[in-house]
Amino acid sequence: MSDKSNLLMFGATGTIGKYIIEAIVNARESFGRIAIFTSPHTVSSKPDELNALRQKGVDILIGDVANRDDVLQAYAGVDTVISALGRGAIAAQIPLIQLANETPNIKRFLPSEYGTDIEYSPASQHEKPHQQKLKVRAALREVRSTLEYAYVVTGPYADFPFYLGRSRNTKAGTFDVLAKKAAIVGDEHGKISLTACADVGKFVVHALTHWDAARNRALKVNSFTTTPADVLAEFERQTGTKWTVEYISLDELRTLEKEAWEKEDPAATVYTLRRIWTEGGTLYDRRDNEDIGVRETRSLQELVTDSIRAQIEGVPPKH
């Protein structure tokens, strides 16, 4: 990009948003104004996080994401919108896109895509967890041709408390450091592509600063590709002991998934995503890291070390 972009971010204090805004702030010389849009509730519940961002020169805009006037006011003077809204708020991006379409100064919109590829194969359109993100992509296809986008598709997050963490729901997989116990879903030698949360932020920054390569693309990026067996071996190496292992077949996982959706159990989404990953839905012939200038990412060894430390220090498990 020839001029420095003025950025507005939604969801900056959320699970993945905090990594993205940190990466943006660390690369602030590449950007003009950096602002986030947040709710009055977040102002009261996360004052330390917001004050830390203010001290780093980030503008804090307070409003209701569902209020047209609040959003339009936030859009003033901005050319790039980045969303990291969580799974429960994905549909809220559709009116944000529509308002961006009505705002001539908005040139780019990066929706909350981080995670599993929702258009990996023809079957992807039928996966229940994908439905809201598919609607967001449809909304972007319907807007003016001058509103550009990039989908930063990372696959599952590697860090504790995600793939490399322990879970209360062991049937969806777990790596429990304190119990020295793992639950592995499907083929232990089946490959899976993972991305460190910090690298999600790096990929977003590089997409913005290498826009000619990122423009109007679904960028398939990751930190590394590994196997459950290799992950287990790394945990055993770093803890210095053999672990107890439970194996959950793909058929068993599919049964649990079906039952969970029938019961409207929140774990249904977790089962579906795990099944997609186990079926190879994170793998590509090539990745797009170098297209946007990313050559270094965090390693499995580093993230296993982080997971061990977090579990020993008593961080709660996921799910």
Side-chain angles (χ1 to χ4, degrees):
M1 293 177 287
S2 58
D3 297 321
K4 291 185 177 182
S5 289
N6 296 316
L7 312 180
L8 173 67
M9 183 171 175
F10 293 88
T13 62
T15 299
I16 199 63
K18 62 186 179 182
Y19 292 96
I20 296 172
I21 192 63
E22 180 181 8
I24 289 171
V25 169
N26 288 342
R28 67 166 304 113
E29 70 280 356
S30 297
F31 306 112
R33 180 189 182 209
I34 301 172
I36 69 167
F37 186 99
T38 195
S39 68
H41 173 73
T42 300
V43 171
S44 61
S45 63
K46 299 181 179 180
D48 293 342
E49 290 182 43
L50 295 179
N51 285 334
L53 290 173
R54 282 194 188 95
Q55 292 171 7
K56 295 176 181 178
V58 177
D59 292 339
I60 312 297
L61 309 181
I62 304 166
D64 180 353
V65 72
N67 185 295
R68 174 187 176 90
D69 292 338
D70 288 354
V71 174
L72 286 176
Q73 185 175 351
Y75 278 179
V78 169
D79 57 73
T80 300
V81 177
I82 303 154
S83 173
L85 293 177
R87 184 170 294 277
I90 292 296
Q93 295 176 109
I94 295 174
L96 295 181
I97 291 166
Q98 292 166 344
L99 290 175
N101 187 47
E102 298 171 16
T103 308
N105 52 282
I106 304 290
K107 305 300 182 186
R108 287 167 288 274
F109 196 106
L110 278 69
S112 188
E113 276 279 336
Y114 329 105
T116 303
D117 185 0
I118 60 172
E119 292 184 344
Y120 183 85
S121 70
S124 298
Q125 63 183 308
H126 304 298
E127 301 288 5
K128 292 181 180 180
H130 295 352
Q131 297 309 303
Q132 297 307 312
K133 286 186 179 181
L134 288 168
K135 291 177 183 177
V136 170
R137 286 200 184 187
L140 274 167
R141 285 193 288 266
E142 293 171 1
V143 298
R144 57 183 162 88
S145 60
T146 53
L147 181 61
E148 300 173 342
Y149 62 85
Y151 305 132
V152 181
V153 178
T154 66
Y157 306 146
D159 311 47
F160 177 92
F162 303 106
Y163 189 86
L164 297 178
R166 72 184 186 277
S167 172
R168 294 187 182 95
N169 182 1
T170 59
K171 292 297 184 180
T174 188
F175 294 97
D176 188 330
V177 170
L178 299 182
K180 303 297 187 295
K181 183 180 294 185
I184 291 176
V185 178
D187 180 3
E188 64 179 325
H189 299 294
K191 291 184 178 180
I192 182 170
S193 170
L194 300 171
T195 300
C197 292
D199 287 339
V200 176
K202 176 183 286 190
F203 290 130
V204 171
V205 166
H206 277 250
L208 293 170
T209 56
H210 296 73
W211 192 250
D212 285 346
R215 179 188 290 111
N216 298 345
R217 288 182 61 191
L219 298 165
K220 314 302 178 20
V221 292
N222 76 341
S223 296
F224 53 83
T225 299
T226 186
T227 69
D230 287 343
V231 171
L232 174 61
E234 185 60 29
F235 271 107
E236 291 181 334
R237 185 185 72 80
Q238 292 197 30
T239 57
T241 187
K242 294 294 289 183
W243 285 27
T244 301
V245 186
E246 175 187 5
Y247 295 94
I248 298 97
S249 71
L250 191 51
D251 285 342
E252 181 180 357
L253 180 63
R254 289 182 178 126
T255 298
L256 292 167
E257 175 190 9
K258 181 176 182 293
E259 292 173 350
W261 283 112
E262 289 171 350
K263 296 176 182 177
E264 298 184 351
D265 184 340
T269 294
V270 177
Y271 286 135
T272 296
L273 293 176
R274 285 279 178 165
R275 188 253 306 154
I276 292 169
W277 307 342
T278 304
E279 291 173 338
T282 68
L283 306 176
Y284 298 92
D285 293 335
R286 68 181 298 272
R287 63 181 188 175
D288 299 325
N289 292 30
E290 292 197 3
D291 290 4
I292 55 173
V294 177
R295 293 175 177 81
E296 295 183 2
T297 53
R298 299 204 70 199
S299 69
L300 172 62
Q301 292 78 8
E302 291 172 321
L303 293 173
V304 167
T305 299
D306 289 350
S307 179
I308 292 170
R309 182 185 304 114
Q311 294 190 51
I312 290 173
E313 291 176 354
V315 178
K318 187 77 172 170
H319 311 313

